[in-house]
Amino acid sequence: MDAALRDEATLLLRRMPFSVEMPAGTGKTQLIAAMAGVAARGGSASLILTHTNAGVAALRKRLKDFAVPQRMVHVDTIASWAFELVRHYPDLAGIQIAPVPDWSQTPEYVRGAVNVAQARAIKRMHSASFTYLFVDEYQDCNLNQHDLILEIAAAIPLAAVFGDRLQGIFDFSGETLVDWDQHVFPSYPLLDREHAPWRWVGHNAELGQWLLDLRPQLVSGATLDLSQVSVPGFEWQPASHQAVADAASRFKTFEESVLILNQWRSDNARTAGRLGGTYAVMEDLNGRFMHENLATLESSDPDGYALWLALFAKSCFSGFGEINQPILRRLRRGEGFEGLSRPGLETTLAALEGLGTDPSLRNLVAAMRAIESAREGRLYCIEAWRDTLAAIEAVVRNPGESMRVNLSMIRDRLRYTGRRRQQRIVSRTLLVKGLEYDHAILCDADSIGSVRNFYVAITRPRKSLTILSRSSVIRMR
């Protein structure tokens, strides 16, 4: 880290506790990592909590860049920290949970963790383990998570929370997010500091400054006429499938990352399919699409394995349009493909026909491997295909296990190892908050929803931003 950042980090450590609001791209991650790094050099350990695994990955990368020893800092999501507290101390938590987390039960984990963190023994454990507490993305804390942080901070009073109210997109039904004036500032006084668009330095400083200047308008709600914006790297185009294809094909070098944003996973799959597999779909960490398909597989008789595989392959690969109703009807009836010619799909059809003749999970795995290896289609749901395959393989090795339980364990490892980086991604704002890309294409901006989702979307790229919408006039709510 440079001297100026180190000096600021040293000063801020002396001012804890505090809260700070930092707009997207203004160096929040590097400031937290710098503070933890200065603390580590002084022999003090830090606990860093955030909301998303993308955020965890970004923080760990910056800590590594700053050569902060791993033993001096622990980075985790609030949900994972809560799960571990409850798993290790179920009697204190007042609930019993399975050893493999079910993240749909996160509210229960958090409520149980509040009970654990209140215990004197756990307060001593927190206090002995860490000198500093940092909590990122605090705008996404609901009141139960806020209560958990307050209990942890009672043991680690040198605490700081970081966030940006305009990036609060995790307001799920039934949960009340923290109010900064009512809940945050009384415990963590607001620290006022100047902000600079660090994400765009050396890439597109004018785009970064425009986004920073635009933020106050968005906070109060705004009507934007994108056709009147003249900023290097920014482009607005009327929305159409061809406009998406043209924008996506503009980037020739794979050394630069490109993000395409839609509102829903189904839109992402359609976009990636139309682009012929040149872009991959980012899956949610729980793997809902995979769980749904495995649930169908688990409820199927072996005679239905070939049909299941055909439908699953069509949802993961481009170029399988000729696996059409005549093929699917024969698979439903358990018939072969005599007389049906599908040039260029010979290996795929042979794999499906062989599985139909001799159905078993072992042969299903072999058929999936044959289809991917043949490259007769372009795989664009890479995560979904390979993690589903791994979950099935685990059951082949250990009959009697559940494919969906294995999938949960496979997906849960990503919370610790991080995702494999893809240079061409189609995703949703919920999955990429905290990440940055060289270029971003925002599709159908009229329908993206709240101003907060819009703001998160437009602040992901550091070199160029393309917005596609039916009208150039976007009304924020």
Side-chain angles (χ1 to χ4, degrees), residues 218-293:
L218 299 179
V219 169
S220 57
T223 298
L224 305 179
D225 186 349
L226 300 176
S227 67
Q228 301 302 307
V229 177
S230 179
V231 176
F234 175 84
E235 183 177 2
W236 172 79
Q237 289 289 334
S240 69
H241 297 325
Q242 188 59 49
V244 176
D246 291 344
S249 62
R250 185 184 309 152
F251 309 104
K252 305 301 183 184
T253 172
F254 272 79
E255 294 177 358
E256 296 188 329
S257 55
V258 186
L259 168 69
I260 300 177
L261 284 167
N262 286 294
Q263 190 173 10
W264 307 110
R265 188 202 178 276
S266 56
D267 297 326
N268 291 336
R270 281 191 289 270
T271 296
R274 291 189 188 104
L275 295 175
T278 55
Y279 283 70
V281 173
M282 179 183 284
E283 304 292 344
D284 66 275
L285 206 63
N286 292 339
R288 179 178 177 179
F289 171 72
M290 295 164 258
H291 274 289
E292 289 173 349
N293 278 277

Side-chain angles (χ1 to χ4, degrees), residues 149-166:
I149 298 304
L150 289 178
E151 293 297 340
I152 297 173
I156 314 171
L158 295 178
V161 303
F162 301 75
D164 176 9
R165 277 176 272 194
L166 201 54

